Structures are given as structure tokens and as C-alpha cells.
Amino acid sequence: MGSGLRVFRPGLVDYASGWRLQQAVADGVRSGEAPALILLEHPPTYTFGTRVTAEHLLLSEAACAARGIEVHRTNRGGDITFHGPGQIVGYPIIDLRALGIGARAYVHALESMLIDVLARFGIAAATFGRNPGVWIGDAKIAAIGVRISRGITTHGFALNVNTDLSYYDGIVACGLRDVGVTSMQACAHAAFEMRDVEDEIVRVFAGEFGFKGVADGVVAAT
């Protein structure tokens, strides 16, 4: 593509504020601003995608609230998933029409990017049949759920780095029974510096999608 990529790193952001940030950046991209990648963490949150089955939330919403877990319905694809500290959530806001790729190729590119990032930290990952995301055997390490509207992408991916995996006990993650979840920390038996992983995501993402040059964004979550 040859254009630059703006990168926003607002830190720990509640889900509603993160969604408002996505919308603001997406409005800018629709108006001709440069594509963007938002990297952040959320407080403990369960999100429902458009294909969710209510029974896949194993706790009552009152029980979630008592544990400090927010629950949000979203317009992304997929079922239910978890976001929380120690997990890098990536929201690419890009124009697929400018890239000349469709939805399926976009998801495959995100998977390839995450597999490459993990390899750079010594973790061998792969896709898993027809199930979206990135896997270590039959345990998911990164979830993908996107929305594309008039060619502009929102939502994205969630990579478990140092995530507390016990939160997944409250859901049927991505609606898939009899599979597990894992993290980089669980695979390597050591914690990772979140900034180091973010930096690698930025580098690999820019290369995967052909962006030339990376600039820090200036929009703050509100």
C-alpha cells in the first residue's frame, strides 16, 4: 500500500471508552486520514459477538458484577470472549478497499501476523481447522472478531500475554466446547513485557499489510 500507519496506545481503557475511540478513529479514516492500529488493555470484560448463544456466559450478570467483570454486547463477529489485563487487544482501523483484500483474506492476514509475532518470542502457533484465531495445539492463544462496514474495519484481535486465564472459566470461550485457552506466559513459564510484545505487533502488522512508516497517534480514549 505504501501509506503510513498511525498507532494509538492509550493503556488500560474500559470497554465503552475503547469503543468510542474506535469510532472516532474510524470516522477519521473514512474522511481520508491515515489507517490506524489501536493497542490497549481492558479491565476484566466479557463481550458478546453477533453470533453469541446466551448459555455461553456461565455466570449470571450479577455474579459478573460482583467479580468486577463488565459484560458488553457488541457488533463484531463471533461468539463470547474475554478481555482483561495482561492481554493485548488490537483494533486495526483500516480501509480494506484501499488494500484490495476481502474479509476472509483480512482475517487470515491477522492470523498470520499473530503467528509471526509469537514465533519471534519462541512460541510456535498455528491456525486450527476452520476455527478463527491462533492456537497452540487445541488451546486458543489469540481470538479474532471483526466488523467491516463500507470497507472500514473495527474490532480486531486479542492476544493472551500474561492473562489471568481463570476468567475463562466463566464462559464457553468463542462458543467452542472441549478446547482450551492459553497465554504466552503459560507456554513459556515466564512473564513477558507487554510493551515488547506491542512493539513486535506494530512491526509485524505494518509489514503484513504493507504500511510504510509508523507514527504515534494523538487521539485519547474518552
Side-chain angles (χ1 to χ4, degrees):
M1 183 177 181
S3 67
L5 177 72
R6 295 176 295 154
V7 178
F8 301 90
R9 303 201 214 195
L12 183 67
V13 177
D14 68 86
Y15 191 83
S17 296
W19 174 234
R20 288 194 294 271
L21 174 57
Q22 286 189 71
Q23 291 176 303
V25 175
D27 286 345
V29 172
R30 288 189 187 96
S31 299
E33 293 181 3
L37 175 62
I38 303 169
L39 296 177
L40 50 71
E41 295 177 67
H42 288 305
T45 307
Y46 294 138
T47 67
F48 289 15
T50 56
R51 297 181 181 178
V52 74
T53 299
E55 292 77 12
H56 292 166
L57 177 61
L58 303 178
L59 304 173
S60 69
E61 293 198 30
C64 291
R67 292 187 59 187
I69 305 170
E70 294 186 357
V71 179
H72 288 271
R73 277 81 178 165
T74 79
N75 61 0
R76 64 163 172 80
D79 204 287
I80 191 169
T81 196
F82 169 74
H83 297 311
Q87 179 192 77
I88 296 174
V89 180
Y91 295 131
I93 315 293
I94 59 179
D95 187 343
L96 296 186
R97 296 167 299 186
L99 292 174
I101 63 174
R104 188 180 298 274
Y106 172 58
V107 171
H108 289 334
L110 291 179
E111 291 170 334
S112 177
M113 179 272 296
L114 290 164
I115 289 168
D116 194 359
V117 168
L118 289 164
R120 296 181 184 210
F121 290 94
I123 298 172
T127 54
F128 185 58
R130 298 179 64 181
N131 297 310
V134 176
W135 300 73
I136 309 293
D138 62 356
K140 182 176 280 191
I141 193 168
I144 294 174
V146 304
R147 178 175 174 80
I148 302 166
S149 176
R150 291 177 291 169
I152 305 298
T153 64
T154 51
H155 301 286
F157 60 87
L159 173 62
N160 290 335
V161 182
N162 305 318
T163 315
D164 180 350
L165 299 177
S166 69
Y167 284 103
Y168 285 95
D169 295 340
I171 62 174
V172 180
C174 303
L176 299 174
R177 300 185 185 274
D178 302 320
V179 296
V181 291
T182 190
S183 67
M184 294 175 65
Q185 183 179 33
C187 291
H189 306 290
F192 290 82
E193 289 293 332
M194 298 290 283
R195 186 76 181 195
D196 291 346
V197 182
E198 286 184 1
D199 288 346
E200 208 59 46
I201 288 172
V202 171
R203 281 191 288 270
V204 179
F205 182 91
E208 181 72 33
F209 290 96
F211 295 116
K212 304 299 183 184
V214 175
D216 288 335
V218 297
V219 175
T222 59

